[in-house]
Amino acid sequence: LVVAPYHLPTLLPTATMSAFGSPAPATEKPASIAQNDCNVGQAGNDGISSLIWSPTANHLVSTNWDGGVRCWQVEEQGGAIRAMPRAQVTHEQNSHVLDSCFKPDGQTVFSCGTDKAVRMWNLSSQSSGVAQQIGVHDAPVKAVRYLPRTNIVVSGGWDRKLKFWDCRQAQPCGVIELPERVYAMDGRDELLVVATAGRHIIAYDTSGQPREHVRKESPLKYQSRCISCFVDKTGFAVGSIEGRVAIHYVQKVAGKESFAFKCHRQDNNCHSVNAICFQQQFGTFATVGSDGLINFWDKDNKQRLKGFQSIRRPVSCANFSAQGNMFAYASSYDWSKGSTFHAPNTPNEIYIHYVAEEEIKPKNKSRSSRR
């Protein structure tokens, strides 16, 4: 098997940002997984690092390596989708933005990046310019999540620290030292999971004072790339640079065992799993990879529900809308081959796919067993 080491992105000069709402420059023919997928305009001038949906409205937010945090108003009717630019903010000196999350109110966005800052943006404020700083690390900040049980923001950085922020205070209300740099993080209600360099995975209970619940070595042999909590919070899925995903339970569930499977591999070549995202209604999930493939999976029945044709460009991130009927995915360079293969003119595009129920709903496997 050919597994190239995943390179931490070189901090390159940021691309020039264009005015949000102005006509987008022409690019080569777009590539999407379905013919009628909505091509979201003005997706930025550099790599797309995260896509998130508001939990209360059809607002889509992206973060980019050009320093932008952008928001679109999305409308869906009869499976037809259109996205209209709404607003944007930036990080200090247009430094690279690496991650984002929503507050449950659906109006507040938190972001983080290579300016070592954690920032907050209220969509209803119609603000522009640099987003408000609420926290800072000693190195770039890789991930940010909101903890609804305690109304606290948590950030994980390359300074090997988790920091907890009350937006009303300048200093962190808590700090946890980690064994290595944060590579990925996710949270759902009281469950927080962190994947670091060195293949460490740590799960925390954040229902009160953060408490370490599980610490383990990743069941995958190579570097962790992404991590995502199950909808029912009984465990998490972690993806690596070797084209594999591990399903791991942190709670005992009758009839369920942890396992791993191959997903983004072609012949003897392994491709990075760049994102894992769960669909809220059915608890099924999608994986996207540097091979340009998107797959929908059912972990409970251990089967692939839908495989889409490769778009022949890396898919850097993705997410389901709160209602689960729309799936946003980004096509841009994902740094899986390092700065050597970075081409500034690589298209950076966002698409929204209308998700038919038969694509994402678990298949009834018990029917054949009753025959």
Side-chain angles (χ1 to χ4, degrees), residues 6 16 18 29 66 72 167 208-209 212 218 242 261 283-284 289 308 313 332 341 369:
Y6 187 87
T16 303
S18 58
K29 184 178 178 181
D66 65 4
W72 292 265
C167 300
Q209 187 75 13
E212 186 175 311
S218 171
E242 60 165 328
F261 66 97
T284 48
F308 296 93
R313 301 176 191 163
S332 67
F341 288 83
S369 65

Side-chain angles (χ1 to χ4, degrees), residues 17 67-71 87-91 111 120-121 127-131:
M17 289 184 61
V69 184
R70 298 171 172 85
C71 177
Q88 77 171 30
V89 292
T90 65
H91 275 226
S111 58
M120 179 174 67
W121 177 29
S127 61
S128 59
V130 177

Side-chain angles (χ1 to χ4, degrees), residues 212-325:
E212 186 175 311
H213 180 54
V214 172
R215 181 183 291 240
K216 69 184 311 304
E217 185 179 75
S218 171
L220 305 177
K221 294 180 180 180
Y222 295 91
Q223 178 183 312
S224 300
R225 178 76 176 101
C226 55
I227 197 164
S228 185
C229 300
F230 299 166
V231 171
D232 63 6
K233 300 169 289 185
T234 58
F236 58 85
V238 58
S240 76
I241 63 170
E242 60 165 328
R244 285 168 61 89
V245 167
I247 301 296
H248 186 80
Y249 291 88
V250 296
Q251 300 178 20
K252 289 187 177 180
V253 179
K256 303 295 181 184
E257 298 291 339
S258 300
F259 66 96
F261 66 97
K262 303 173 185 177
C263 50
H264 290 273
R265 293 187 174 191
Q266 296 176 6
D267 300 324
N268 289 328
N269 295 316
C270 302
H271 302 271
S272 172
V273 182
N274 288 332
I276 300 170
C277 43
F278 281 85
Q279 202 262 13
Q280 181 68 30
Q281 180 181 359
F282 298 115
T284 48
F285 66 98
T287 62
V288 305
S290 61
D291 54 359
L293 287 174
I294 295 175
N295 293 305
F296 292 170
W297 305 91
D298 176 4
K299 65 177 176 60
D300 296 327
N301 291 314
K302 297 183 179 180
Q303 67 177 174
R304 183 169 67 175
L305 298 171
K306 178 73 174 180
F308 296 93
Q309 185 175 357
S310 173
I311 65 171
R312 298 184 180 182
R313 301 176 191 163
V315 182
S316 57
C317 53
N319 234 321
F320 287 100
S321 64
Q323 295 77 24
N325 64 331

Side-chain angles (χ1 to χ4, degrees), residues 138-201:
D138 298 321
V141 189
K142 180 60 176 67
V144 62
R145 289 295 181 268
Y146 187 83
L147 306 177
R149 296 295 179 90
T150 54
N151 295 318
I152 294 295
V153 178
V154 58
S155 54
W158 291 347
D159 56 1
R160 306 184 181 191
K161 293 178 182 177
L162 282 183
K163 291 190 175 184
F164 299 83
W165 307 96
D166 182 329
C167 300
R168 301 165 296 182
Q169 302 175 8
Q171 298 300 318
C173 54
V175 179
I176 294 178
E177 299 286 340
L178 296 171
E180 255 291 359
R181 293 154 291 164
V182 172
Y183 279 175
M185 182 171 73
D186 193 33
R188 191 178 291 269
D189 294 333
E190 70 277 6
L191 177 63
L192 177 71
V193 289
V194 182
T196 75
R199 298 172 51 235
H200 302 282
I201 296 179

